[in-house]
Amino acid sequence: METGKPKKTEGVIARREKRLALRLLSPTFLLVMAIVIFPLFANFWISFKPISLADLRAPTIFVKERIKGNLEQIGEKLVIEYRYRNSSMKYPLSNVSFSDILPDGVKLIQIDPSCEIETVSAKTVIKCDLGAVEPKARGRIILDVISEMPLTKEQFNVPEIKPQFEATNILTSLDFSVSNYVKIFSASEFFEVLKTTIYYTFFGTTGALILGLFAAQIMQKAFPGRAIIRGILLFPYVAPVIAVAFSWVVLFDPFSGSVNAMMIELGVAEKPVNFFGQRFAMISLFGFQIKLPVALSMVILFEVWRYFPLSFLFILARMQSIPSDLYEAAEMDGATPFQQFWYLSLPHIVGILAVLFLLRFIWTFNKFDDIFLLTGGNAGTRTLTVNVYEQAFAISNLGAGAAVAVVIFMFLLLFSILFIKFTPKDEA
Amino acid sequence: MAFWRLGITGGFLAGAIWAPLWQLLVCVALIIGSDVQIELQMGPAFITGIIMGAFATLYKPNNAKIYFSVGILLYALLLFLCSFGAPFGSLLTDNYARMIVSLIIISTLSFISISLTVGSLKAGMVTKYFIEAFYSRLMWGLGLVFFILIVLIPFYVMVLTSLKNQQSLLRNPLDLSIDFSVAPEKLFNSYIELFVKYDFLTLLLNSAFVSVVTVFITLLFSIPGAYAVAKLRFPARQWLSSSILLIYLIPAIILVIPLYSVFSQLGLRNSLFGLCIVYPATTIPVALYMLKGYFSGLPSELDDAGLMDGLTRWQIILKISIPLSVPAIASVALYVFMIAWNEFLFAFMFLDDVKIFTLSRGIVSLDSTEVPRQHLMAAAVVATVPVLFIFLWFEKFLVSGLTSGSVKG
């Protein structure tokens, strides 16, 4: 029986729109899949493999030909020697074979059992099948021939020998182990690294947020030259990290840096402080001895300096959207400037502060370049991200590096879930 | 009777803070211009400041012109007398004209700061409102100076160091002056070395090439994608637009090992082409997110009108959506350019060959004990100037780009 409901099947236009959307999005989708999503899963894969940086160079077999005997003498017995070697220290090669064309005017008298003779287009071709070659293994194959006319070396070596072989690609093979995880978790420094990461992330994020709030509060007031100063305040964020990181290093250099010279001149310090190379310094404050992590504090300060402009920009945008008649009303009611900030501005920006905190927290957690350029992860500043580089490229253990990257990803997943859960709907 | 509720206390405080501060800053600026040792006269400045702070709370004529002229002259006179005729110590005693100009500058800056901070504060008992307003003005002024200084000092050091030579760097690190009297080829020696010896022109061109290609690929991919997400109806639309943001949170450092491995084996690693694949992949999600926001704001009646007139969707994108969103596209393009130009990690990991170094990669290779520091700083200036220039030129676009998309660090 026919009812009045509209049909559930989709119309032509809807179908066409769907197909078009697919076409418009598929290039992006494929690229992001290949460069972002695939590596993400590849990380898991690599982290379960005992693989080092050197393994990326594919193993191959080298074959060299040598001829012994007097080539110019007719009737002379010549020895052709093929030496082969597996270049890999770790991986066997299988189905190794090579072939070589013998020049005209030689007669074979004895050949190696692993070789066969074929005649291909009137040329004598030797085909040798070596089977499996163990790692580092080397060996030789010898042919005895008699020359029937004077020969030259070049006649033997052309064309060059191109061996054929099959190697198991270390990236795609199926041997797995958990040794990387065992290694990174059992290392005593791992929890040290985790602690450093949390300090860096927390203080870096909070510091940048507070400084950004302060800057926004200042820039909210209209004054001549505000636009220019707003531009200048964004410099740290806009300039290349490499340039600003190195200028900090130069500024705080223990030998030629202005800050150290200034501190000695003013009598604050007796000898130069190696700001980016010193792990701890004892500071006496009101009679208490405080052990201050110098290098870590410096990278946190750098992080705060470089990213406060971002918080500043967001907070300022939010503050400027607060209707000005609210402030006028508060003024009429006699609210003091601090009361206006506390009861009027702050409730309006608390949402954006929360979002900024979470996002900046994630991004500071992920930060690699800054610390790497400032300290190289030394002097107690090694965070998880620097540890990825350290394991994979400094110690050349790709697998362990990938395992650390997986740990980072797990944290990231946790943060993202928190982010989605706690983001107010209107602020994202 | 609470001491702090007296307006004149605020006057004292404003003077005690601003006068020494400007004394210090102007003296440092003077020292930068000439090669002499620091000789600060903080005591006289302090006393002058306190007196002038009190003056600003007591004397409030209606005519601003008279007020500032009287104040500035009085300040200069007081500072001159308090320092026994030598407001800059032994500095500038041989050059009276310069001393008077500097004295007027110091007095103007100090008195304007003090009087603006004091504002409407009266000398007698005042309400909490006026006291707080005074403190917020004081913090506003100090904060402004603080932020400008902390932002500019590292950049100044960068430029300064690049214009020095090894001996003068090590001899006196406190010498913050630039000696303009030397021959230009000596002053710009580091820059000449960079371009002649280290072939920085190639590096600049490589960086420019990679950045421009990245911008084009990003726009080519993200404009249609953003249009689809903003305007077309398809099943996974909601899911897709939220997962774009999540992809955006994935850092480069966890992608670098697999990409390094695979690109090595494919032979793509040590090439600019490899970078031109990786960079767009990391920028497309954010570009798509930014453009999606803008496209959603365009009325869909325009698209419907276009459809009615017989345009295809492609034509609608080309003839309606793109022309209407030029500002948004410009800010996306600038933002992506900035990311690609400043990118460090992939350039560092991928490029081995000096001929194809980008600026970031090239500068890192200069960070060794064999290369003098001023060359490193000159290279940093070379990398920074184009991006800051573009930023200041297109600040409006970039700022809107930053706020709409840059949750990224």
Side-chain angles (χ1 to χ4, degrees):
Chain A
M1 199 177 89
E2 198 70 24
T3 58
K5 279 183 188 167
K7 277 192 252 173
K8 278 277 165 99
T9 53
E10 49 183 19
V12 184
I13 294 179
R15 239 190 350 255
R16 205 187 289 158
E17 220 170 275
K18 224 161 71 182
R19 272 206 305 274
L20 181 71
L22 189 70
R23 268 212 303 282
L24 293 178
L25 277 165
S26 55
T28 300
F29 188 71
L30 290 177
L31 189 69
V32 170
M33 269 293 165
I35 305 293
V36 181
I37 306 298
F38 163 73
L40 216 53
F41 288 99
N43 242 329
F44 282 90
W45 179 272
I46 294 174
S47 72
F48 284 105
K49 285 175 154 298
I51 172 174
S52 78
L53 203 54
D55 295 334
L56 288 182
R57 215 179 306 127
T60 110
I61 192 129
F62 291 115
V63 179
K64 262 189 175 168
E65 184 180 3
R66 283 174 71 184
I67 299 122
K68 288 176 193 162
N70 190 348
L71 292 172
E72 277 142 41
Q73 190 82 39
I74 298 171
E76 175 86 4
K77 188 184 158 203
L78 303 172
V79 177
I80 303 177
E81 189 182 89
Y82 297 101
R83 292 177 169 208
Y84 61 86
R85 181 170 66 86
N86 182 349
S87 72
S88 168
M89 298 302 206
K90 263 161 99 179
Y91 303 103
L93 300 169
S94 54
N95 287 337
V96 181
S97 68
F98 67 89
S99 55
D100 192 21
I101 301 167
L102 278 189
D104 297 331
V106 294
K107 205 175 101 189
L108 276 165
I109 43 178
Q110 199 188 355
I111 63 167
D112 197 274
S114 55
C115 299
E116 303 171 348
I117 301 161
E118 279 171 22
T119 309
V120 180
S121 56
K123 297 225 179 252
T124 322
V125 176
I126 310 165
K127 242 190 126 199
C128 299
D129 198 352
L130 301 174
V133 179
E134 290 302 303
K136 288 195 277 186
R138 44 180 82 225
R140 60 177 122 186
I141 291 207
I142 291 169
L143 306 177
D144 294 337
V145 294
I146 286 183
S147 64
E148 292 168 335
M149 55 196 253
L151 298 160
T152 61
K153 260 205 164 129
E154 284 72 35
Q155 282 173 291
F156 282 92
N157 287 345
V158 179
E160 272 181 39
I161 299 162
K162 287 202 185 84
Q164 291 177 330
F165 59 89
E166 283 167 20
T168 47
N169 187 329
I170 177 67
L171 285 177
T172 52
S173 72
L174 288 173
D175 51 332
F176 296 106
S177 81
V178 290
S179 63
N180 292 322
Y181 287 96
V182 172
K183 207 179 137 210
I184 63 160
F185 283 119
S186 61
S188 58
E189 54 166 34
F190 181 79
F191 293 96
E192 192 63 34
V193 167
L194 203 62
K195 216 170 87 186
T196 309
T197 312
I198 290 169
Y199 273 141
Y200 175 72
T201 311
F202 181 77
F203 288 111
T205 311
T206 326
L209 215 58
I210 290 172
L211 219 57
L213 180 60
F214 189 26
Q217 194 64 23
I218 286 168
M219 299 303 288
Q220 199 197 0
K221 196 165 152 179
F223 60 94
R226 178 164 77 163
I228 297 165
I229 290 173
R230 188 183 66 170
I232 290 174
L233 287 196
L234 294 173
F235 276 10
Y237 177 71
V238 178
V241 57
I242 186 137
V244 287
F246 281 140
S247 50
W248 271 58
V249 169
V250 166
L251 182 61
F252 289 95
D253 189 275
F255 306 110
S256 61
S258 310
V259 169
N260 265 306
M262 187 85 81
M263 281 170 67
I264 289 169
E265 188 95 338
L266 296 175
V268 181
E270 282 150 30
K271 54 179 187 352
V273 181
N274 189 355
F275 282 104
F276 289 111
Q278 191 174 335
R279 191 178 282 258
F280 289 112
M282 296 307 282
I283 300 221
S284 58
L285 204 66
F286 310 118
F288 290 102
Q289 286 284 317
I290 296 169
K291 202 167 148 204
L292 184 80
V294 180
L296 183 60
S297 308
M298 286 307 293
V299 293
I300 290 172
L301 276 186
F302 180 80
E303 165 79 20
V304 170
W305 177 80
R306 195 162 131 72
Y307 293 102
F308 90 82
L310 211 64
S311 319
F312 148 67
L313 214 54
F314 278 89
I315 297 169
L316 184 64
R318 190 73 191 82
M319 273 183 170
Q320 284 177 340
S321 70
I322 303 172
S324 59
D325 44 351
L326 287 181
Y327 287 104
E328 282 157 22
E331 196 85 359
M332 293 295 277
D333 290 345
T336 66
F338 290 94
Q339 284 171 333
Q340 286 180 25
F341 172 73
W342 192 256
Y343 295 106
L344 212 166
S345 308
L346 209 55
H348 273 96
I349 55 173
V350 78
I352 191 80
L353 284 180
V355 172
L356 269 177
F357 181 81
L358 273 165
L359 280 175
R360 288 306 314 159
F361 192 87
I362 292 173
W363 271 104
T364 313
F365 186 85
N366 289 339
K367 207 74 227 159
F368 167 79
D369 307 1
D370 307 40
I371 298 180
F372 180 74
L373 289 169
L374 290 171
T375 67
N378 299 315
T381 59
R382 187 182 301 176
T383 57
L384 278 173
T385 49
V386 179
N387 209 21
V388 172
Y389 176 85
E390 196 68 22
Q391 299 287 345
F393 299 99
I395 313 181
S396 300
N397 189 346
L398 277 186
V404 180
V406 167
V407 172
I408 294 179
F409 181 69
M410 289 304 175
F411 274 106
L412 209 59
L413 217 56
L414 182 75
F415 296 148
S416 311
I417 292 167
L418 289 178
F419 178 65
I420 292 169
K421 230 174 165 168
F422 290 110
T423 309
K425 279 280 170 291
D426 53 328
E427 297 283 358
Chain B
M1 178 172 170
F3 176 64
W4 63 272
R5 290 283 290 274
L6 271 174
I8 201 160
T9 315
F12 290 146
L13 191 68
I17 289 172
W18 281 116
L21 184 67
W22 283 120
Q23 186 82 8
L24 177 76
L25 292 177
V26 173
C27 279
V28 168
L30 273 174
I31 289 158
I32 286 170
S34 54
D35 190 19
V36 272
Q37 280 299 305
I38 296 178
E39 200 163 334
L40 287 173
Q41 297 285 70
M42 294 305 242
F46 187 73
I47 295 165
T48 312
I50 288 180
I51 297 171
M52 291 311 292
F55 169 81
T57 55
L58 291 166
Y59 177 62
K60 293 194 187 299
N62 285 328
N63 190 330
K65 245 185 211 159
I66 296 174
Y67 175 61
F68 281 111
S69 326
V70 168
I72 289 165
L73 282 176
L74 205 58
Y75 189 100
L77 197 66
L78 258 176
L79 186 59
F80 191 78
L81 290 177
C82 284
S83 58
F84 304 108
F88 305 102
S90 58
L91 187 66
L92 296 189
T93 40
D94 53 338
N95 190 338
Y96 278 100
R98 258 178 93 182
M99 177 154 99
I100 288 168
V101 171
S102 310
L103 188 61
I104 294 294
I105 292 173
I106 265 198
S107 308
T108 311
L109 289 170
S110 305
F111 186 72
I112 289 180
S113 307
I114 291 170
S115 58
L116 287 182
T117 307
V118 168
S120 56
L121 196 66
K122 291 193 179 66
M125 284 293 284
V126 287
T127 60
K128 200 174 157 203
Y129 175 86
F130 286 100
I131 289 287
E132 277 195 16
F134 163 76
Y135 279 111
S136 79
R137 281 195 300 272
L138 183 64
M139 272 165 71
W140 182 86
L142 289 176
L144 195 63
V145 173
F146 167 77
F147 277 112
I148 292 173
L149 285 181
I150 62 157
V151 166
L152 288 185
I153 284 173
F155 288 96
Y156 180 71
V157 166
M158 187 158 93
V159 175
L160 172 84
T161 313
S162 75
L163 295 174
K164 292 206 154 195
N165 59 44
Q166 193 74 13
Q167 292 92 343
S168 64
L169 265 183
L170 285 172
R171 200 177 55 230
N172 183 10
L174 268 186
D175 176 14
L176 295 173
S177 64
I178 298 172
D179 190 3
F180 289 108
S181 61
V182 299
E185 68 264 24
K186 229 176 139 193
L187 189 62
F188 294 104
N189 177 46
S190 298
Y191 294 90
I192 296 167
E193 288 256 302
L194 276 186
F195 282 94
V196 174
K197 201 168 141 199
Y198 297 100
D199 200 15
F200 253 57
L201 187 64
T202 313
L203 269 64
L204 256 174
L205 291 177
N206 286 339
S207 268
F209 170 77
V210 172
S211 311
V212 170
V213 170
T214 303
V215 169
F216 272 103
I217 298 178
T218 304
L219 289 181
L220 202 68
F221 279 52
S222 61
I223 290 174
Y227 182 85
V229 178
K231 298 278 177 183
L232 302 178
R233 273 155 305 180
F234 57 94
R237 182 174 156 186
Q238 206 49 50
W239 172 83
L240 199 74
S241 60
S242 56
S243 59
I244 292 168
L245 241 177
L246 288 184
I247 283 172
Y248 187 38
L249 292 176
I250 297 167
I253 189 76
I254 70 176
L255 308 179
V256 79
I257 292 175
L259 287 177
Y260 183 93
S261 311
V262 173
F263 275 42
S264 287
Q265 298 212 330
L266 295 178
L268 283 172
R269 190 173 64 82
N270 186 16
S271 70
L272 289 181
F273 180 68
L275 287 188
C276 290
I277 299 174
V278 175
Y279 287 0
T282 55
T283 53
I284 285 172
V286 65
L288 214 156
Y289 180 74
M290 287 159 81
L291 287 174
K292 185 205 88 180
Y294 198 84
F295 284 155
S296 316
L298 297 178
S300 38
E301 285 79 8
L302 288 174
D303 299 31
D304 297 340
L307 283 177
M308 295 297 275
D309 288 345
L311 292 180
T312 64
R313 284 280 183 183
W314 284 105
Q315 287 169 323
I316 290 173
I317 295 177
L318 282 176
K319 292 187 176 161
I320 297 176
S321 300
I322 291 181
L324 280 176
S325 45
V326 168
I329 291 172
S331 67
V332 170
L334 285 168
Y335 183 54
V336 169
F337 182 88
M338 195 188 89
I339 293 178
W341 182 274
N342 293 352
E343 206 282 338
F344 164 71
L345 179 61
F346 284 113
F348 176 63
M349 300 300 309
F350 279 22
L351 305 178
D352 301 329
D353 197 347
V354 185
K355 282 226 153 23
I356 55 166
F357 273 6
T358 59
L359 277 172
S360 296
R361 180 68 185 87
I363 294 172
V364 146
S365 69
L366 290 183
D367 179 35
S368 78
T369 46
E370 289 130 53
V371 182
R373 273 294 155 83
Q374 64 272 23
H375 288 13
L376 182 67
M377 287 296 96
V381 172
V382 170
T384 309
V385 164
V387 80
L388 282 195
F389 181 76
I390 290 176
F391 168 70
L392 287 178
W393 200 256
F394 299 104
E395 192 195 325
K396 222 188 231 155
F397 286 136
L398 240 176
V399 166
S400 68
L402 286 171
T403 37
S404 64
S406 74
V407 283
K408 185 165 189 160

